[in-house]
Amino acid sequence: MLYHPDKHRDPELKLQAEQLFNLVHQAYEVLSDPQTRAIYDIYGKRGLEMEGWEVVERKRTPAEIREEFERLQREREERRLQQRTNPKGTISVGIDATDLFDRYDEEYEDVQGSSFPQIEINKMHISQSIEAPLTSTDTAILSGNLSTQNGNGGGSINLAFRRVTSAKGWGELEFGAGDLQGPLFGLKIFRNLTPRCFITTNCALQFSSRGIRPGLTTVLARNLDKNTMGYLQWRWGIQSAMNTSVVRDTKTSHFTVALQLGIPHSFMMVSYQHKFQDDDQTRIKGSLKAGFFGTIVEYGAERKISRHSILGATVSVGVPQGVSLKIKLNRASQTYFFPVHLTDQLLPSAVFYATVGPLVMYFAMHRLIIKPYLRAQKERELEKQRESTASDILQKKQEAEAAVRLMQESVRRIIEAEEARMGLIVVNAWYGKFVNDNSRKNEKVKVIDVTVPLQCLVKDSKLILTEASKAGLPGFYDPCVGEEKSLKVLYQFRGVLHQVMSADNEALRIPKQSHRIDADG
């Protein structure tokens, strides 16, 4: 009724009303027809613009159209399944920096080049694996690794075939070979015994110059409660052992306690990790491990530095292992690991530099490199988004301005009715990007005046907005594409001023007593 051309006598307003009325009419035609409504529900507006719908039988029901869409989706998923490889890789570079803290005696200082600490790479390890789905239940996995330490090294390659036998389990056959060891044949089986309990068994035969070396590993796991798992592991073969552990994982913490009895290592381990609920997914962790090999205390932290990257550092202090610093970078499905051995002794200076050094380096890199890079990347993405939507936003702006002009008469009547009953009157309303933080004072405020559109939505002294972007409301448009937006409303109810700030997708209901502005303030 608001946009009906017959409601407006001014020629310019009448023309604008016709354009908006046609949009409403198109929407009505789409939503009133069961077939076009089903297409719109599934594909959105672009689906209505696709060619070929005229060949679809008009008598098809929405359920049949959905089935057709789901069939196309399954075919697309199968094509994606064939192309997916799920690559995973690890690169580890071991660094020997003991010369920084454990120097030779003075009698060796006359050796050429000995005046500077010798830092060298003493070991490296590279592993990579890819998956190749053969069918919906069968997958082939190809993996390989190369290792070297102090000039000696080797590698191996493995091929595995996994079949999902049912919803309760799967089996895997593995074949491998390497230059240091002979062929390897393995069988792995996973099975859900109950909804809360599962078992995994791994059998292997390793052929070498010393003969055949069999191995067997069995893990029994059970859900003790919603967040706690219990594991019992038995390993027989070259390093036989029995291990039991309890793992509790919640939204804010991760706790593990484990006990192992075996040959040659028996130990007890306790670890705790605290998860901060921030955007950077910061975590701090610590662990204590004691056994026949000695005692190790580890502590560290990790943090998300970009959308796909997590950086972590751990300090390891032990007897007789000494002090080490372990730096790890996870980038998507790739892991880069740099263990730095600092000293074989328990030196306070080594512990201090291993703890403080990474912190200073991280904050310097975050301030000087990472933060500016992420800010520039975000600006580039926003600029690209603005350019791609510029014409559409301009059209939306023109439609919103036209809608506001058409609302003027209705809003005048609404205000008169609300004033008569001392009801709800919108004094001022702004929508867009607000800058209240002093640290962001250099950013531009990008808001539009939406006083008239909001007053037009008032009915019986109430204004109710649902959980959806307010950019789609009549008389609104997006003034800052890709950025966080809010709605700020200053309104009067029962002669008293109220004010509220609402996030873009947040539901809003006014008036409310909590919005009231204190007269003393």
Side-chain angles (χ1 to χ4, degrees):
M1 291 177 62
L2 179 65
Y3 297 147
H4 199 288
D6 295 343
K7 294 283 185 179
H8 306 277
R9 296 182 179 180
D10 184 275
E12 185 178 352
L13 293 179
K14 194 178 185 71
L15 180 61
Q16 294 172 352
E18 287 178 356
Q19 295 173 351
L20 295 175
F21 187 77
N22 288 335
L23 292 176
V24 176
H25 182 65
Q26 290 173 11
Y28 177 79
E29 285 187 336
V30 169
L31 299 179
S32 60
D33 186 288
Q35 173 158 326
T36 55
R37 184 181 186 121
I39 294 171
Y40 178 79
D41 287 343
I42 297 170
Y43 297 99
K45 189 176 180 180
R46 286 194 300 176
L48 299 172
E49 299 169 357
M50 292 174 57
E51 297 181 357
W53 288 116
E54 61 274 5
V55 301
V56 179
E57 296 181 21
R58 300 293 299 179
K59 61 183 180 181
R60 279 199 175 188
T61 64
E64 291 173 334
I65 294 176
R66 288 182 182 275
E67 290 176 0
E68 179 71 7
F69 173 70
E70 291 171 358
R71 183 185 66 81
L72 296 173
Q73 283 283 82
R74 285 194 299 270
E75 291 179 357
R76 186 163 59 224
E77 287 296 324
E78 290 175 1
R79 288 194 296 269
R80 289 180 58 191
L81 187 68
Q82 295 173 1
Q83 299 170 356
R84 190 173 58 209
T85 58
N86 191 24
K88 297 178 182 177
T90 301
I91 296 178
S92 176
V93 180
I95 301 173
D96 184 359
T98 55
D99 206 30
L100 289 172
F101 300 94
D102 298 336
R103 298 300 303 273
Y104 284 107
D105 295 335
E106 294 181 359
E107 59 190 86
Y108 294 99
E109 290 186 356
D110 57 347
V111 179
Q112 184 178 0
S114 63
S115 59
F116 296 99
Q118 299 295 313
I119 299 176
E120 58 183 21
I121 295 175
N122 60 357
K123 57 183 176 181
M124 293 185 66
H125 175 79
I126 300 175
S127 63
Q128 185 75 31
S129 68
I130 58 172
E131 297 181 2
L134 305 177
T135 65
S136 59
T137 58
D138 297 336
T139 304
I141 305 169
L142 180 65
S143 62
N145 66 81
L146 292 171
S147 299
T148 178
Q149 184 171 359
N150 296 325
N152 299 316
S156 64
I157 186 169
N158 294 69
L159 178 63
F161 296 95
R162 179 184 299 166
R163 166 166 287 188
V164 178
T165 55
S166 67
K168 293 185 176 182
W170 50 265
E172 183 177 295
L173 283 173
E174 182 180 8
F175 306 92
D179 59 346
L180 298 181
Q181 298 181 355
L184 169 71
F185 297 96
L187 173 64
K188 184 184 293 185
I189 298 174
F190 170 87
R191 181 75 178 177
N192 280 313
L193 303 179
T194 68
R196 300 181 62 182
C197 182
F198 69 85
I199 187 171
T200 301
T201 300
N202 186 7
C203 308
L205 290 176
Q206 179 71 65
F207 295 84
S208 67
S209 58
R210 300 179 182 178
I212 301 177
R213 296 187 294 178
L216 175 65
T217 302
T218 300
V219 178
L220 179 66
R222 178 179 174 80
N223 278 99
L224 303 181
D225 62 33
K226 180 181 178 181
N227 300 307
T228 309
M229 288 287 294
Y231 298 91
L232 184 62
Q233 182 187 76
W234 177 63
R235 186 170 64 245
W236 172 79
I238 302 173
Q239 295 184 347
S240 298
M242 178 166 284
N243 181 295
T244 181
S245 59
V246 176
V247 179
R248 180 170 179 80
D249 191 15
T250 66
K251 188 177 180 180
T252 59
S253 64
H254 183 92
F255 175 77
T256 302
V257 58
L259 175 65
Q260 175 173 305
L261 300 175
I263 302 173
H265 296 305
S266 294
F267 64 86
M268 181 176 182
M269 189 267 291
V270 178
S271 70
Y272 177 80
Q273 183 181 94
H274 183 75
K275 308 174 186 176
F276 292 91
Q277 303 303 303
D278 56 358
D279 295 336
D280 295 326
Q281 300 178 9
T282 306
R283 300 182 181 188
I284 58 174
K285 54 188 176 181
S287 68
L288 171 65
K289 189 175 182 180
F292 294 163
F293 55 82
T295 303
I296 298 176
V297 175
E298 291 188 343
Y299 56 91
E302 65 179 38
R303 196 175 196 184
K304 188 176 181 180
I305 59 175
S306 69
R307 185 180 302 174
H308 304 292
S309 301
I310 298 177
L311 180 64
T314 303
V315 179
S316 177
V317 182
V319 177
Q321 291 81 4
V323 182
S324 297
L325 171 64
K326 303 172 184 177
I327 300 173
K328 184 170 69 172
L329 174 65
N330 288 329
R331 173 70 179 173
S333 60
Q334 303 294 314
T335 301
Y336 304 91
F337 187 54
F338 302 92
V340 183
H341 188 48
L342 298 177
T343 175
D344 294 322
Q345 308 174 47
L346 292 182
L347 298 178
S349 59
V351 177
F352 174 79
Y353 285 111
T355 304
V356 177
L359 289 174
V360 174
M361 187 175 295
Y362 168 76
F363 284 112
M365 289 181 58
H366 188 267
R367 184 70 178 269
L368 301 176
I369 300 175
I370 298 174
K371 203 171 180 179
Y373 171 77
L374 294 177
R375 189 186 302 116
Q377 186 182 45
K378 185 177 180 181
E379 286 296 327
R380 286 195 300 269
E381 292 176 353
L382 286 176
E383 189 62 31
K384 189 176 180 180
Q385 189 176 1
R386 291 190 194 104
E387 291 176 358
S388 62
T389 60
S391 59
D392 186 50
I393 293 299
L394 180 61
Q395 181 182 351
K396 295 292 184 184
K397 180 181 179 181
Q398 293 172 349
E399 291 176 357
E401 291 173 347
V404 170
R405 285 193 289 269
L406 296 173
M407 292 175 182
Q408 296 290 346
E409 184 61 29
S410 297
V411 167
R412 185 184 62 79
R413 291 195 298 268
I414 293 173
I415 292 176
E416 290 177 355
E418 292 297 323
E419 286 178 341
R421 63 164 71 104
M422 293 287 288
L424 176 59
I425 299 175
V426 178
V427 179
N428 277 308
W430 303 271
Y431 173 68
K433 176 184 176 182
F434 296 85
V435 180
N436 299 321
D437 190 353
N438 290 331
S439 63
R440 300 168 57 195
K441 59 184 178 182
N442 59 330
E443 299 183 21
K444 294 181 179 179
V445 177
K446 303 173 185 175
V447 296
I448 57 174
D449 188 337
V450 291
T451 307
V452 172
L454 273 191
Q455 186 69 65
C456 193
L457 295 174
V458 173
K459 185 176 182 180
D460 298 330
S461 298
K462 292 180 182 178
L463 175 62
I464 301 174
L465 303 180
T466 58
E467 292 182 359
S469 175
K470 297 170 179 61
L473 293 173
F476 282 62
Y477 68 93
D478 193 341
C480 45
V481 177
E483 301 183 64
E484 291 185 4
K485 291 173 283 291
S486 302
L487 175 65
K488 186 176 183 180
V489 185
L490 178 66
Y491 65 94
Q492 185 175 301
F493 182 70
R494 298 287 187 260
V496 179
L497 284 177
H498 297 64
Q499 183 171 284
V500 62
M501 176 84 81
S502 172
D504 188 25
N505 291 292
E506 182 183 356
L508 177 64
R509 184 184 183 95
I510 58 179
K512 275 190 176 182
Q513 183 70 24
S514 58
H515 300 164
R516 182 168 176 166
I517 299 176
D518 190 355
D520 297 334

